[in-house]
Amino acid sequence: MIKYEIKTGSAFLNEKARNQRDLAYKPELKGMRCNSCSSDTIVRFVESDLKYVKAEIHSCCSTFDMRIRQKLWPNKN
């Protein structure tokens, strides 16, 4: 199961993180699960700069991490 955490410390950045989660991550990753692991995958939104939010993906295994990244960024090698 994929879980999302938003902990930036700023109301403005929390809003940006919620928008990024709802518009980019959730629609793309909906229904994905790891068939070989029983632990959760955490997508944590953290402050990257004073104005930006970045997502850190903490997957249950490297195979599922690769599947997530391929789904989110298909053209990136």
Side-chain angles (χ1 to χ4, degrees):
M1 174 185 269
I2 299 175
K3 294 186 177 184
Y4 301 91
E5 288 184 3
I6 298 174
K7 295 182 180 180
T8 63
S10 162
F12 171 72
L13 292 177
N14 283 343
E15 179 70 27
K16 287 182 81 168
R18 280 192 296 275
N19 286 337
Q20 189 174 353
R21 176 197 64 194
D22 294 342
L23 299 175
Y25 283 79
K26 273 190 173 182
E28 286 295 320
L29 302 179
K30 185 177 180 179
M32 285 187 73
R33 69 180 73 112
C34 182
N35 296 328
S36 59
C37 300
S38 60
S39 59
D40 293 331
T41 293
I42 308 284
V43 178
R44 186 173 291 134
F45 293 91
V46 295
E47 182 178 343
S48 172
D49 195 358
L50 295 176
K51 301 178 200 171
Y52 301 102
V53 174
K54 70 176 181 177
E56 296 176 345
I57 301 171
H58 301 279
S59 298
C60 57
C61 65
S62 60
T63 306
F64 193 55
D65 185 69
M66 186 176 63
R67 285 179 49 209
I68 288 173
R69 292 178 191 279
Q70 183 66 32
K71 183 86 169 181
L72 290 172
W73 305 288
N75 297 327
K76 192 173 183 180
N77 291 337

